[in-house]
Each structure stands twice: as structure tokens, then as C-alpha cells.
């Protein structure tokens, strides 16, 4: 009421923010983001509504910083698997080579024995 005139003072309007013009640029004062219903399980935004906007941004930043590490880990895993396959192939080739060498030695021994028996 203003000085007994029966008129109420205008209430300050609550300013609703939009994407282009947010109510505030301070992440601590922004409303938490809503979670889409079609969001995959285990995604980065699964628990955004329970924490502030700043925390969710921080979490996404951390996850994005860990992406190169995860890629490097996957790359190393692939290289190790390739190295194991290469070692196995080398062992198989050397085993076949030794088997052929043993077969040739066996044939030479048989021939020598046959020659000794015939004379």
C-alpha cells in the first residue's frame, strides 16, 4: 500500500531467461538442466537435475578431459592384441619350420638306414 491510497506497489517482475538471453550468466544461479527422456543410460547428463548447473558442467568437462585418455587406452589395447597375434604367428611359423627340418632329418636317417641295410 502506498501512503494509504489503497494502491499496491508494483511487484518486481520475475525475469524468465531464454537460451539466447539467460536470466543470469552465473552458473551457480542458473536452474539445473532437465534430463531428456530419451537419454541413454549411463550418459554424462543422467543426474543433472539433482546437482547444480555448475557441477554438471564441471562433470562434463572432466569427462571430456578423460576422452583422450580413454582413446589412448583403447589404442594401446588394440596394439597389445595385435602384438600378441603377431607373436603367435611368428611362433607358428617357426614351429612349422622346425617340423619341416625334423621331417627332412627323419627322411635322411631312413635313407641312411636303408642304404646301410642294403649293402
Amino acid at each position: 500500500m502506498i501512503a494509504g491510497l489503497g494502491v499496491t506497489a508494483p511487484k518486481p517482475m520475475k525475469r524468465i531467461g531464454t537460451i539466447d538471453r539467460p536470466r543470469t550468466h552465473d552458473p551457480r544461479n542458473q536452474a539445473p538442466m532437465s534430463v531428456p527422456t530419451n537419454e541413454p543410460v549411463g550418459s554424462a547428463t543422467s543426474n543433472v537435475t539433482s546437482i547444480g548447473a555448475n557441477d554438471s558442467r564441471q562433470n562434463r568437462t572432466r569427462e571430456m578431459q578423460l576422452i583422450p585418455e580413454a582413446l589412448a587406452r583403447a589404442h594401446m589395447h588394440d596394439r597389445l592384441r595385435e602384438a600378441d597375434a603377431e607373436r603367435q604367428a611368428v611362433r607358428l611359423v617357426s614351429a612349422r619350420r622346425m617340423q619341416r627340418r625334423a621331417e627332412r632329418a627323419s627322411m635322411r636317417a631312413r635313407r641312411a638306414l636303408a642304404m646301410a641295410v642294403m649293402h
Side-chain angles (χ1 to χ4, degrees), residues 1-115:
M1 300 277 256
I2 299 178
L5 296 176
V7 179
T8 59
K11 293 181 181 176
M13 284 183 49
K14 279 192 168 184
R15 215 171 112 213
I16 298 174
T18 63
I19 291 176
D20 294 330
R21 296 178 183 270
R23 184 175 58 167
T24 176
H25 291 287
D26 185 6
R28 289 172 292 193
N29 294 336
Q30 290 178 2
M33 296 168 58
S34 62
V35 177
T37 56
N38 60 356
E39 189 72 28
V41 177
S43 69
T45 60
S46 62
N47 59 353
V48 171
T49 54
S50 64
I51 56 176
N54 193 33
D55 293 338
S56 69
R57 283 193 185 93
Q58 188 76 23
N59 186 31
R60 271 180 267 143
T61 302
R62 259 188 238 112
E63 284 192 8
M64 290 184 79
Q65 285 173 348
L66 294 177
I67 287 173
E69 188 177 324
L71 285 172
R73 199 175 294 119
H75 188 71
M76 283 297 297
H77 180 70
D78 289 345
R79 296 293 85 77
L80 286 172
R81 200 174 47 202
E82 286 174 12
D84 283 342
E86 181 72 22
R87 278 194 293 271
Q88 190 173 2
V90 167
R91 281 197 303 266
L92 182 63
V93 166
S94 67
R96 285 185 178 157
R97 190 180 301 131
M98 287 190 289
Q99 182 181 7
R100 285 193 301 266
R101 189 179 296 165
E103 286 172 358
R104 283 194 303 268
S106 172
M107 289 300 290
R108 279 194 304 270
R110 281 186 181 183
R111 272 192 227 114
L113 184 61
M115 293 296 274

